[in-house]
Amino acid sequence: MRILITGGTGFVGSHVCRQLMAAGQSVRLLVRNADKAQTYYDELGEGIPELVVGDVTELASVRVALEGCDGLVHAAAGTPMQTGSVEQLFAVNVDGVKHTVGSALEMGLEHIVCISSITAIFDPDAARVTADASPVKSKLPYGQSKVLAETYLRALQAQGAPVSIVYPGGVIGPEDPGFSDSFKALKHRMENGFRIFGDGGMQYVDVRDLAALVCSLVVEGGSGRFLLPGVYSTWTQLADTIEAVSGCQLQRIPAQGWKLRLIGRLMDCVRLIKTVDSPISAETMRYATLWPNIKNTEELTARGLQLRDSRETFADAIAWMVRAGHVAPRLCPGLAAHD
């Protein structure tokens, strides 16, 4: 098979690419900067995918990239802290989905997998967060963009289109080409203090486990919706895990959810006039303070897959952060014990 990946120089897309190439599949990436992609994959030393220059917001380049392909993994996405404007956020998260998936279907592809987000169906009540849950309206731009894309994809599924949708929680693990938001939040907590939100918690899925499910789905084809929020930890348990695998000493700061949600909104207002180097936003604080323990898809067991222990995930993630120069080695004196 020849499989096109959008977002192939991003965190999830790059791991999907690597696993597909390791399995002997032919992989093509739609990239904005071919030199950057070439350098990244050359340094990995695991093979270099075919590269086509373009952008998911440009329909013509998407169609060129899809020529001769059998499958599509749409992993490109924008977040509030990565995109320069609300307009660009919608261009990537909504128009990008319509361009790639719509074109793939028009060209007859029958193996299509889209990476969505739990945020599209998020509810503080875990029992309501299922693969059949309706998209949830959001007052915030990122959530709105994900819901619009979700509505479009579900309409295609209802018509019988061969589209699978995967909903990950927080994604973490080793080797992220772009240092995504989960890493920025982890770095911020290690360097500036870890806010503990009462009895709340979060779910993180190892990027390698997410990639394994995506690869299985795109190779086999079909249609369905699959929740993969990952391993749940209370914030106290997560702080314990980070300290245990890295040897760092976290400053634990008791925090109230409503205050952090308010601070997130204020930070978003500040971002309208200047760049802010902080993982705090209204969107991130809502999920960080209200996240329930959501069940993972049973498709993992059906496909012979399982989630890694969170200690392995965070040990590998933090070790990579140190190697890449994102975190000072002195903050993680215990990493050697986990090498």
Side-chain angles (χ1 to χ4, degrees):
M1 293 179 65
R2 176 178 283 114
I3 300 168
L4 175 68
I5 301 176
T6 66
T9 56
F11 192 23
V12 177
S14 64
H15 278 269
V16 171
C17 177
R18 294 164 64 185
Q19 290 192 24
L20 285 173
M21 289 195 298
Q25 303 293 343
S26 177
V27 181
R28 177 184 292 170
L29 305 185
L30 176 63
V31 298
R32 287 174 293 178
N33 187 323
D35 290 338
K36 176 182 175 182
Q38 176 86 21
T39 298
Y40 176 71
Y41 281 98
D42 187 51
E43 290 177 350
L44 286 176
E46 300 174 6
I48 299 176
E50 181 184 357
L51 304 175
V52 174
V53 177
D55 194 291
V56 296
T57 63
E58 301 168 356
L59 180 58
S61 65
V62 169
R63 295 188 69 86
V64 169
L66 282 166
E67 286 288 345
C69 290
D70 307 291
L72 166 69
V73 174
H74 182 62
T79 69
M81 288 180 282
Q82 292 173 331
T83 52
S85 67
V86 172
E87 291 76 16
Q88 182 63 15
L89 188 70
F90 277 81
V92 174
N93 289 349
V94 183
D95 295 341
V97 170
K98 293 180 178 180
H99 291 166
T100 54
V101 177
S103 296
L105 291 172
E106 290 177 10
M107 298 168 74
L109 275 68
E110 297 183 353
H111 299 254
I112 301 172
V113 180
C114 295
I115 313 298
S116 182
S117 170
I118 291 288
T119 60
I121 52 176
F122 180 80
D123 193 291
D125 182 353
R128 296 183 178 181
V129 187
T130 69
D132 296 323
S134 298
V136 177
K137 293 182 180 180
S138 174
K139 296 180 180 179
L140 304 172
Y142 176 71
Q144 291 169 355
S145 71
K146 300 304 286 188
V147 168
L148 286 173
E150 180 73 17
T151 301
Y152 170 76
L153 292 174
R154 290 193 180 199
L156 294 175
Q157 287 183 328
Q159 297 167 14
V163 177
S164 289
I165 311 173
V166 180
Y167 307 84
V171 184
I172 201 76
E175 299 169 26
D176 177 4
F179 201 61
S180 55
D181 292 350
S182 291
F183 283 102
K184 292 175 183 176
L186 178 56
K187 173 182 171 67
H188 186 82
R189 288 167 180 147
M190 294 175 70
E191 295 179 345
N192 301 287
F194 197 121
R195 287 173 172 80
I196 306 296
F197 314 124
D199 296 328
M202 178 56 69
Q203 281 171 278
Y204 286 97
V205 60
D206 191 296
V207 67
R208 295 163 292 189
D209 299 335
L210 172 57
L213 177 60
V214 171
C215 291
S216 178
L217 291 170
V218 75
V219 170
E220 295 184 18
S223 177
R225 296 193 287 270
F226 308 94
L227 273 62
L228 198 66
V231 179
Y232 182 85
S233 300
T234 66
W235 289 114
T236 297
Q237 290 170 336
L238 184 57
D240 290 343
T241 295
I242 293 170
E243 288 188 341
V245 301
S246 68
C248 71
Q249 296 296 312
L250 296 172
Q251 179 189 7
R252 303 191 187 203
I253 306 169
Q256 293 179 292
W258 71 269
K259 289 184 178 179
L260 289 170
R261 291 191 291 274
L262 176 59
I263 292 172
R265 289 185 177 276
L266 294 174
M267 293 294 285
D268 285 348
C269 292
V270 173
R271 285 191 178 90
L272 296 175
I273 57 175
K274 68 176 183 178
T275 300
V276 179
D277 184 19
S278 169
I280 297 176
S281 69
E283 204 88 37
T284 57
M285 289 302 97
R286 177 171 183 255
Y287 304 131
T289 58
L290 297 174
W291 195 280
N293 188 352
I294 303 166
K295 185 178 180 181
N296 289 284
T297 177
E298 295 180 357
E299 197 69 18
L300 284 173
T301 301
R303 294 173 182 265
L305 304 173
Q306 62 181 10
L307 299 179
R308 285 171 170 79
D309 182 271
S310 59
R311 283 182 171 239
E312 177 184 353
T313 296
F314 278 91
D316 291 348
I318 295 171
W320 171 78
M321 290 171 71
V322 171
R323 291 197 305 272
H326 295 298
V327 171
R330 60 178 174 76
L331 289 179
C332 308
L335 277 181
H338 298 276
D339 290 342

